[in-house]
């Protein structure tokens, strides 16, 4: 998670929020729909963001690029180092 140091507070907040959501999913394998279940909770935390699902997908890509999760295709992911 050392890459978080280089992120702005706003970006860090989103990444940490998404990582927390992933921690709440009990299985190592999860789907995009599993992550979308946190949309209402994230909307409360980020009321000015009207594109929560888009932001979730973006943050999953960041976590994938950092090797914390793996994209398995067709909306399926796996936790690698969370």
């Amino acid at each position: 998670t050392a890459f978080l140091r280089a992120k702005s507070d706003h970006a860090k907040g989103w990444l940490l929020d998404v990582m927390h959501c992933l921690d709440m999913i009990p299985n190592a394998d999860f789907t995009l729909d599993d992550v979308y279940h946190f949309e209402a909770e994230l909307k409360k935390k980020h009321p000015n963001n009207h594109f929560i699902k888009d932001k979730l997908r973006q943050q999953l890509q960041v976590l994938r690029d950092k090797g914390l999760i793996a994209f398995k295709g067709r909306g399926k992911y796996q936790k690698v180092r969370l």
Side-chain angles (χ1 to χ4, degrees), residues 30-34 36 57 60 64 70-78:
F30 63 96
T31 66
L32 189 55
D33 285 337
D34 293 332
Y36 285 165
R57 288 192 304 275
L60 289 174
R64 178 207 60 205
F71 178 64
K72 299 297 189 177
R74 298 186 182 232
K76 295 180 182 175
Y77 296 84
Q78 184 178 49

Side-chain angles (χ1 to χ4, degrees), residues 17-61:
D17 288 345
V18 172
M19 289 171 74
H20 174 72
C21 293
L22 296 180
D23 283 342
M24 301 293 289
I25 298 171
N27 304 321
D29 295 318
F30 63 96
T31 66
L32 189 55
D33 285 337
D34 293 332
V35 179
Y36 285 165
H37 281 104
F38 297 96
E39 183 178 9
E41 177 182 332
L42 292 168
K43 180 66 178 163
K44 289 178 186 174
K45 287 187 86 168
H46 304 277
N48 294 328
N49 188 316
H50 302 289
F51 304 99
I52 301 293
K53 287 182 178 178
D54 296 332
K55 191 66 171 183
L56 285 169
R57 288 192 304 275
Q58 178 192 51
Q59 299 308 300
L60 289 174
Q61 288 175 353

